[in-house]
Amino acid sequence: MKKTVLSVTLMSALLLSACQTNEPAQSDENSSESALTQSSEAVSESASTESSESQADSSEAKKDETQPQEYTYRVNPDTFVIEPLNDGDDTKVALLTFDDAPDEHAVEIATKMKEINAPAVFFINGMYIESDEGKEKLKEIYDMGFEIGNHTQTHADLSSISPEEQREEILKTNELIYETIGVKPRFFRAPFGINTDTSAEVIAEEDMVFMNWTYGYDWEPEYQDAAALTDIMLHTEYLGDGANLLMHDRAWTNEAAVDIAEGLKDQGYTLVDPALIESPESEESNE
């Protein structure tokens, strides 16, 4: 698959320039992703509620019951393509990811994906799970069997805040997710795809994996329509083996999600289960 590479300076300029013309929180990431879209091909709830500790223990047990014995894929740290670890494993795979969850549509998207057996990662903004309603939404998504990732607390541009604030953005979201479902995220996705030395330090300390993306379009005005979005997601030049598809908690994405997932299957892609993707913590558990 063709790969286009922008310098860090140029890419950052494109990202920050785009951010200045859009709304905060939801649309900030959307504006910046245009640069990365074109520059990178290539980062149960316990039945018992007697105490938060018992909830965490039960949730960990649930996760362990479904934990695969062997991890067969990894996230390429340079391109964010999903690659097989072993010769002979299926290379024609695609990963579905949904950012900015759980805002308005994530639970419905997860329900639809569950119905068609389409695994995915839902990347969580901590600000959405500070309320009881947000926590319940996260529990619903997790209890349906979906991988939960960290997308920072407030969707901040990490390069524009202090190292202490960067740590807070990542660690607070990890803490809220763990308190809610009893499982710490294995994958981290920075808003705008902008990582820093500090975020790299925190991710290493937390045994997490950077997971950006290889392409995505649902933030662009011309693709804020289900039919147009489905068409570009299935026919873009960036679709190829190991594609890491970026989507969001949006109305038009909700409407298009099933057609996108089924369209990938029709083209012969296996929708990779994120549980099969290695992380430092999962590697240790297999030793």
Side-chain angles (χ1 to χ4, degrees):
M1 184 163 66
K2 183 169 68 175
K3 178 164 106 175
T4 305
V5 179
L6 293 182
S7 70
V8 173
T9 301
L10 176 57
M11 184 169 68
S12 298
L14 288 169
L15 293 171
L16 295 175
S17 173
C19 291
Q20 294 171 357
T21 61
N22 286 275
E23 299 176 0
Q26 290 189 4
S27 61
D28 273 354
E29 176 179 5
N30 297 345
S31 61
S32 65
E33 285 155 2
S34 62
L36 287 179
T37 296
Q38 309 306 326
S39 68
S40 173
E41 171 196 25
V43 156
S44 75
E45 178 190 5
S46 169
S48 170
T49 57
E50 294 179 359
S51 70
S52 60
E53 181 178 354
S54 64
Q55 178 192 43
D57 290 344
S58 297
S59 296
E60 288 284 11
K62 173 190 149 190
K63 194 73 172 180
D64 288 341
E65 288 174 2
T66 59
Q67 195 91 327
Q69 294 301 307
E70 184 177 345
Y71 293 84
T72 52
Y73 291 91
R74 72 161 193 152
V75 182
N76 184 301
D78 299 316
T79 64
F80 303 104
V81 165
I82 308 304
E83 300 177 334
L85 291 171
N86 308 303
D87 292 340
D89 287 340
D90 189 8
T91 60
K92 193 169 185 178
V93 300
L95 177 68
L96 303 179
T97 72
F98 298 92
D99 285 10
D100 301 349
D103 188 7
E104 297 183 11
H105 307 283
V107 173
E108 188 174 353
I109 292 171
T111 300
K112 291 176 179 179
M113 296 298 94
K114 178 71 172 178
E115 289 173 351
I116 63 170
N117 193 29
V121 183
F122 284 81
F123 282 96
I124 304 301
N125 286 124
M127 61 187 175
Y128 292 133
I129 58 171
E130 292 181 321
S131 67
D132 289 342
E133 180 183 4
K135 287 180 172 64
E136 286 304 316
K137 288 180 179 181
L138 173 56
K139 289 176 185 177
E140 286 188 63
I141 295 168
Y142 177 72
D143 285 345
M144 282 187 268
F146 291 98
E147 186 88 25
I148 302 301
N150 182 324
H151 197 39
T152 73
Q153 185 67 23
T154 67
H155 204 279
D157 173 358
L158 296 180
S159 69
S160 70
I161 59 179
S162 71
E164 293 76 18
E165 290 170 320
Q166 293 177 52
R167 284 184 168 273
E168 179 72 5
E169 283 285 330
I170 300 169
L171 295 177
K172 185 175 181 180
T173 299
N174 269 5
E175 291 169 4
L176 283 170
I177 291 172
Y178 185 82
E179 289 170 4
T180 304
I181 62 173
V183 174
K184 187 182 75 174
R186 296 190 299 127
F187 302 111
F188 174 73
R189 175 172 285 168
F192 320 110
I194 300 176
N195 288 294
T196 67
D197 290 343
T198 299
S199 69
E201 290 174 2
V202 176
I203 297 317
E205 293 165 4
E206 292 289 294
D207 289 329
M208 299 173 76
V209 174
F210 283 122
M211 185 186 284
N212 281 7
W213 56 88
T214 59
Y215 71 89
Y217 295 91
D218 66 351
W219 46 268
E220 293 186 358
E222 63 189 294
Y223 300 116
Q224 292 178 10
D225 167 83
L229 179 60
T230 299
D231 183 66
I232 190 64
M233 293 297 283
L234 295 178
H235 300 107
T236 177
E237 63 180 308
Y238 298 101
L239 174 59
D241 290 0
N244 189 336
L245 280 65
L246 169 68
M247 292 175 282
H248 295 81
D249 183 330
R250 301 289 186 272
W252 48 91
T253 306
N254 180 19
E255 186 178 347
V258 170
D259 288 340
I260 291 169
E262 295 287 21
L264 290 167
K265 293 178 183 180
D266 290 344
Q267 292 187 44
Y269 287 93
T270 298
L271 301 180
V272 66
D273 185 347
L276 297 175
I277 301 174
E278 70 173 3
S279 63
E281 188 174 63
S282 66
E283 290 173 30
E284 292 172 6
S285 68
N286 284 328
E287 290 178 355

